Amino acid sequence: MSNFASSKNLSQRMTSELGRAIVCGEYPRDKSLPTEAALCDKFGVSRTAVREAIKMLTAKGLISSKPKQGIRILPEEHWNILDAEMLSWSLQAKPSLHVLKEFTQMRMAVEPEACALAARHASQERLAEIEHALKRMELSVENNDQAAELQADIDFHVAILYATENRFYIRMRDFTTTALNVSIQHTNPAIANPKGVVEEHARIFNAIKTGNAERARNSMFLLIDEALSIIEQKLDQA
């Protein structure tokens, strides 16, 4: 039995544990979840913590809780999968490659246009942030530091979102960070030439820096298309 009694925030801990369990299919989708009393016993928390967790998961579109109906898991179309925490749970489910494929398809609709906007609107400060991430990528590849390379790669893509100066794109940062943290670990090892990955990112940055929106858009599209092809190959082999 899980016991979160020593946690300073029991409801958040329980939200994470219960949410992950639901998304990963540990509870039957066509039946009600255990009662509040049963959840209190299972997780070793108070009824208040359980109710707070239920509120949080309801806000994410994962469950509904109504009198006489109990706590029910909602159909997946109601789930707020743009929520970074929800995405993290989905990536822990099996098969996570299907989630990555959907995420990469969404990237193809978002990031190329983000690059075009960045080419038009990026300030010198924003350009410096993209360049700094690129230089860190170069250094980490030279040092064969995969953890540093992963973080720099993620920072590169997030910096482009900020460079759009568009609040809606910027709000994609947590979602993008969460998914790229898993996606890049699947795709980069499949690419024989790590320096080539850096060169592809450099082409994107140079297009943004010179204000060439069309080239920036196309360069990012090609980068994501390559990642999508790798994920699809892995799915075919699964």
Side-chain angles (χ1 to χ4, degrees):
M1 178 177 69
S2 299
N3 193 325
F4 299 149
S6 61
S7 173
K8 293 182 180 179
N9 197 327
L10 303 180
S11 59
Q12 287 187 349
R13 292 283 303 274
M14 185 183 169
T15 298
S16 179
E17 183 71 10
L18 183 59
R20 185 204 59 77
I22 293 171
V23 172
C24 291
E26 294 180 19
Y27 291 97
R29 300 288 173 86
D30 58 346
K31 295 183 180 179
S32 295
L33 289 177
T35 63
E36 285 186 4
L39 290 172
C40 287
D41 181 63
K42 177 179 175 63
F43 293 99
V45 298
S46 68
R47 193 175 289 264
T48 298
V50 169
R51 288 175 178 171
E52 283 299 313
I54 290 170
K55 286 181 183 178
M56 292 180 189
L57 294 175
T58 299
K60 295 177 186 293
L62 190 58
I63 61 173
S64 68
S65 178
K66 296 180 180 179
K68 298 182 180 180
Q69 293 185 12
I71 309 167
R72 301 194 66 86
I73 301 172
L74 292 174
E76 288 191 27
E77 58 263 29
H78 293 277
W79 296 3
N80 180 15
I81 59 172
L82 293 179
D83 178 278
E85 194 170 28
M86 282 284 293
L87 178 62
S88 176
W89 299 333
S90 296
L91 291 169
Q92 294 175 45
K94 300 294 183 183
S96 61
L97 279 173
H98 287 287
V99 179
L100 284 179
K101 179 179 178 180
E102 291 181 328
F103 164 68
T104 308
Q105 289 170 333
M106 183 176 176
R107 286 183 66 198
M108 293 184 78
V110 173
E111 289 193 62
E113 190 58 33
C115 285
L117 288 172
R120 297 188 185 104
H121 303 300
S123 65
Q124 290 302 312
E125 180 182 358
R126 297 300 190 197
L127 288 173
E129 290 170 354
I130 302 172
E131 185 174 24
H132 179 59
L134 177 62
K135 288 181 177 179
R136 285 165 47 218
M137 279 187 70
E138 293 173 346
L139 183 62
S140 61
V141 168
E142 289 176 5
N143 295 334
N144 194 29
D145 187 341
Q146 295 181 356
E149 180 187 356
L150 172 63
Q151 188 58 57
D153 200 338
I154 293 171
D155 291 345
F156 179 90
H157 290 274
V158 171
I160 290 174
L161 295 178
Y162 273 94
T164 66
E165 301 299 344
N166 180 303
R167 290 174 296 171
F168 293 95
Y169 279 94
I170 293 170
R171 284 294 297 167
M172 293 290 291
R173 64 184 183 270
D174 294 337
F175 175 84
T176 299
T177 296
T178 299
L180 282 179
N181 188 55
V182 177
S183 178
I184 291 171
Q185 294 183 65
H186 275 276
T187 56
N188 277 13
I191 299 172
N193 180 16
K195 290 185 178 180
V197 175
V198 175
E199 290 170 0
E200 290 174 342
H201 285 72
R203 279 194 288 272
I204 294 169
F205 169 67
N206 289 330
I208 293 173
K209 184 178 181 180
T210 57
N212 192 326
E214 191 61 28
R215 182 176 295 172
R217 180 189 290 113
N218 291 339
S219 297
M220 179 61 82
F221 182 90
L222 291 173
L223 180 73
I224 300 173
D225 187 56
E226 182 180 17
L228 181 60
S229 295
I230 292 171
I231 291 169
E232 288 176 336
Q233 281 182 337
K234 286 176 174 282
L235 279 168
D236 290 340
Q237 295 166 2

